[in-house]
Amino acid sequence: MRILTANEMKKAEELSFKKYFSEAELMKRAGVKCAEKIIAHYGNIMKDKKVLVLCGNGKNAGDGFVIATELMHFGAKAEIVLCDKKPSVREALAYFNEAVNSGIPVTAFAGCDLECSLIVDCIFGTGFHGAPKAPFDAVFDAVNSSGAAVVSVDTPSGVNASDGSVVNAVKADLTIAVSDLKYCHVLPPANEYCGKTVTVNIGIPKDCYNGNYAHTITKAYVKGCFKKRNLNAHKGCFGRQLNICGSYEMPGAAVICAKAALKTGAGLLKCAFPKSIYSVMTAHLVQPVFVPVSENESKTFSMGALTRILEEIKGASCVAVGCGIGNNDDTQVLLNQIIKESEVPVVIDADGINSIIPNIDVLKDSKAKLILTPHPGEMARLIQEDVSYVQQNRISSAKAFSKEYGCIAVLKGANTVVTDGKDVFVNTTGNAGMAMGGAGDMLTGMMASFIAQGIRPFDAAACAVYIHGLCGDITAKEISQRGMTVEDMLDLLGALMIEFE
């Protein structure tokens, strides 16, 4: 599904006006489709009940006047609330008059009682930016404290559709994105104001979209990346994955990464780790080939392990490195050499990322594709900015980093961003229950597994992010967000893969 800025959406709509529709026709379509969606979600609390449709004086108000008329026909006691003044847009004014002629009451916000079963927010559309001025700041506060269910049309009024920024805005329970998702639906902090987001198709033809847009990761796309397994296949057909993970203080990271690889179909897995955690690894894993190597005084990988590790990389289809390895002089040397000498894709996570920061230009020396999976704090260190900057510029910062260093960037967090510097995916699976130690190690193991099995690295990254989030969503429903663990997710992961066979 496409994700557009306000300007990109405006251009698509304007082209549709030139080629296919009048603006009034498209406004009518939007209002009718949004009303249908509102009825589908809230019809049980609207019948014979008071529903307020709050409108500004722009185009979004036109959608609201159509919605009010449709909800009245459904059986709701719809009322229009003008939050400022009467509509000034010709098409919106026509639908306002139609609503009034249908008998729908109209009140001004200043004299309105917001006690009702449902509020429909059609105050501002995608063009809003900055902070709300009077009287709209008071309107937003009143809506948020009303106690009614709130539906926002296209975007919650007060959010910036293009960058997701918010000063003060309506907090919706349901947001109905018209035609396509906007960046506010997937970027913080605006995504938290949207509640549940659904889309309605109002019929803008494909040839009205001319741009390299960001997209969400869809299940259909993910399924298309997996090929059916050949009847006569052997383990070598499904890749040889090498995990370089773990240390004395963090052996669990290596275990989780390994289990994730095995649960997602890697043909042969080798696990290289500091020798002191041999007993932990063998206690929790039986399927991999174990490669215990020399360690330093901190019981992390030592430089003495490099020769063996580079030898093992020669036989691998993909390498996963960084989970739980620590960050010191030895790991920094290790990462530099792996990046320079590996001829197969390398997925770099956690302390693997921290280990390259002192010599970040080594990324430009890689022979094969690199996939970095930073969380916002790690991305901030990579680009020498603070975390707030990264969170306010998730897509642009990930895209710029990926383009500069020629790698794939997977910026983790709510609505993980996957980019190769040109194309952008934003993931919509996952939940807050996954905000725990070990979830990233699981993702790394899955990503490397898919690459090892022959999926193109960019596609593999997107597939892993989507399935990882989906696994978290199902686990949260079966257990709870607070009570779920990474082990619970791993227990589910193998069975979940049947959906992608």
Side-chain angles (χ1 to χ4, degrees):
M1 184 179 295
R2 290 178 295 259
I3 308 171
L4 276 64
T5 64
N7 190 50
E8 288 170 339
M9 189 72 252
K10 182 180 179 181
K11 287 180 179 179
E13 289 175 344
E14 287 176 345
L15 192 53
S16 75
F17 299 152
K18 291 179 181 179
K19 299 176 69 174
Y20 299 104
F21 312 108
S22 69
E23 194 159 354
E25 287 173 330
L26 210 60
M27 190 177 287
K28 179 79 169 183
R29 285 180 175 223
V32 170
K33 288 293 183 179
C34 287
E36 290 173 354
K37 194 68 74 171
I38 293 168
I39 292 167
H41 281 79
Y42 292 104
N44 61 324
I45 68 168
M46 288 195 306
K47 200 79 169 179
D48 298 320
K49 299 291 176 59
K50 181 179 175 182
V51 175
L52 298 179
V53 183
L54 273 61
C55 299
N57 64 343
K59 293 181 181 179
N60 209 41
D63 299 344
F65 303 140
V66 175
I67 290 168
T69 304
E70 294 295 314
L71 296 186
M72 180 198 68
H73 292 323
F74 169 74
K77 295 179 180 178
E79 296 183 21
I80 292 170
V81 178
L82 295 179
C83 297
D84 188 13
K85 50 191 174 183
K86 285 187 179 181
S88 56
V89 177
R90 182 184 60 187
E91 294 82 5
L93 181 59
Y95 290 123
F96 172 76
N97 292 331
E98 184 178 304
V100 171
N101 293 335
S102 297
I104 296 176
V106 179
T107 59
F109 169 75
C112 179
D113 178 6
L114 293 188
E115 187 174 340
C116 60
S117 61
L118 180 71
I119 292 174
V120 181
D121 161 31
C122 295
I123 306 166
F124 288 111
T126 58
F128 183 89
H129 57 88
K133 299 178 181 178
F136 299 108
D137 52 352
V139 174
F140 297 170
D141 291 340
V143 170
N144 292 338
S145 60
S146 68
V150 178
V151 177
S152 288
V153 172
D154 214 3
T155 64
S157 292
V159 307
N160 186 309
S162 298
D163 66 16
S165 61
V166 179
V167 177
N168 180 22
V170 169
K171 292 182 178 179
D173 298 293
L174 176 73
T175 297
I176 305 172
V178 179
S179 296
D180 298 278
L181 290 174
K182 317 305 182 296
Y183 281 91
C184 64
H185 300 131
V186 298
L187 293 178
N191 57 351
E192 196 167 340
Y193 286 73
C194 294
K196 179 181 179 182
T197 299
V198 296
T199 59
V200 289
N201 183 355
I202 63 172
I204 298 178
K206 290 182 180 179
D207 64 356
C208 294
Y209 293 92
N210 299 313
N212 183 30
Y213 308 115
H215 287 77
T216 60
I217 307 170
T218 65
K219 192 170 189 177
Y221 161 80
V222 174
K223 281 187 173 183
C225 293
F226 289 89
K227 296 178 181 179
K228 186 175 180 179
R229 291 197 160 191
N230 190 291
L231 178 66
N232 297 312
H234 54 81
K235 64 186 178 185
C237 296
F238 307 120
R240 297 172 179 269
Q241 180 173 336
L242 174 64
N243 285 2
I244 306 167
C245 301
S247 62
Y248 186 78
E249 293 185 351
M250 293 178 283
V255 173
I256 291 168
C257 186
K259 285 186 175 181
L262 297 171
K263 291 280 189 175
T264 50
L268 180 66
L269 174 65
K270 287 189 175 184
C271 293
F273 51 84
K275 61 184 180 181
S276 62
I277 64 170
Y278 182 86
S279 60
V280 177
M281 297 294 288
T282 55
H284 292 276
L285 299 163
V286 295
Q287 193 169 331
V289 174
F290 298 114
V291 185
V293 296
S294 64
E295 59 188 27
N296 57 23
E297 292 180 356
S298 300
K299 296 187 177 180
T300 69
F301 288 97
S302 73
M303 283 185 266
L306 185 58
T307 300
R308 175 70 187 278
I309 286 173
L310 293 178
E311 192 64 32
E312 292 293 343
I313 288 175
K314 292 178 182 178
S317 307
C318 184
V319 177
V321 59
C323 303
I325 66 171
N327 179 17
N328 51 51
D329 290 345
D330 286 358
T331 61
Q332 290 172 18
V333 170
L334 189 74
L335 262 295
N336 285 346
Q337 292 306 116
I338 289 171
I339 289 168
K340 288 179 180 179
E341 299 195 30
S342 178
E343 296 185 358
V344 297
V346 181
V347 181
I348 306 174
D349 184 39
D351 279 330
I353 293 171
N354 293 325
S355 293
I356 63 172
I357 290 173
N359 184 29
I360 194 168
D361 282 343
V362 72
L363 296 175
K364 298 176 181 179
D365 297 331
S366 63
K367 298 177 181 177
K369 182 59 69 177
L370 303 177
I371 304 90
L372 275 69
T373 63
H375 58 56
E378 290 161 348
M379 177 59 84
R381 292 192 286 275
L382 285 168
I383 64 175
Q384 298 183 344
E385 292 284 356
D386 56 34
V387 175
S388 63
Y389 174 86
V390 172
Q391 289 296 75
Q392 291 166 13
N393 301 275
R394 283 178 62 80
I395 290 176
S396 60
S397 60
K399 195 173 179 180
F401 177 82
S402 177
K403 186 175 182 179
E404 180 176 357
Y405 293 101
C407 64
I408 294 166
V410 179
L411 179 53
K412 295 184 291 193
N415 300 121
T416 292
V417 176
V418 182
T419 180
D420 60 0
K422 179 183 177 183
D423 296 323
V424 177
F425 276 122
V426 179
N427 188 45
T428 55
T429 62
N431 61 83
M434 299 169 66
M436 57 183 164
D441 305 317
M442 178 180 173
L443 178 63
T444 296
M446 296 170 63
M447 207 172 291
S449 169
F450 294 154
I451 296 171
Q453 292 174 63
I455 298 177
R456 189 172 69 104
F458 184 62
D459 293 331
C463 290
V465 165
Y466 178 90
I467 296 173
H468 182 249
L470 180 62
C471 186
D473 287 340
I474 297 171
T475 304
K477 287 181 181 179
E478 293 187 354
I479 299 174
S480 70
Q481 288 190 13
R482 284 185 171 85
M484 63 188 282
T485 67
V486 175
E487 284 290 340
D488 295 325
M489 291 176 62
L490 288 168
D491 288 343
L492 175 70
L493 182 58
L496 177 59
M497 291 305 298
I498 196 170
E499 297 191 25
F500 305 96
E501 298 221 314

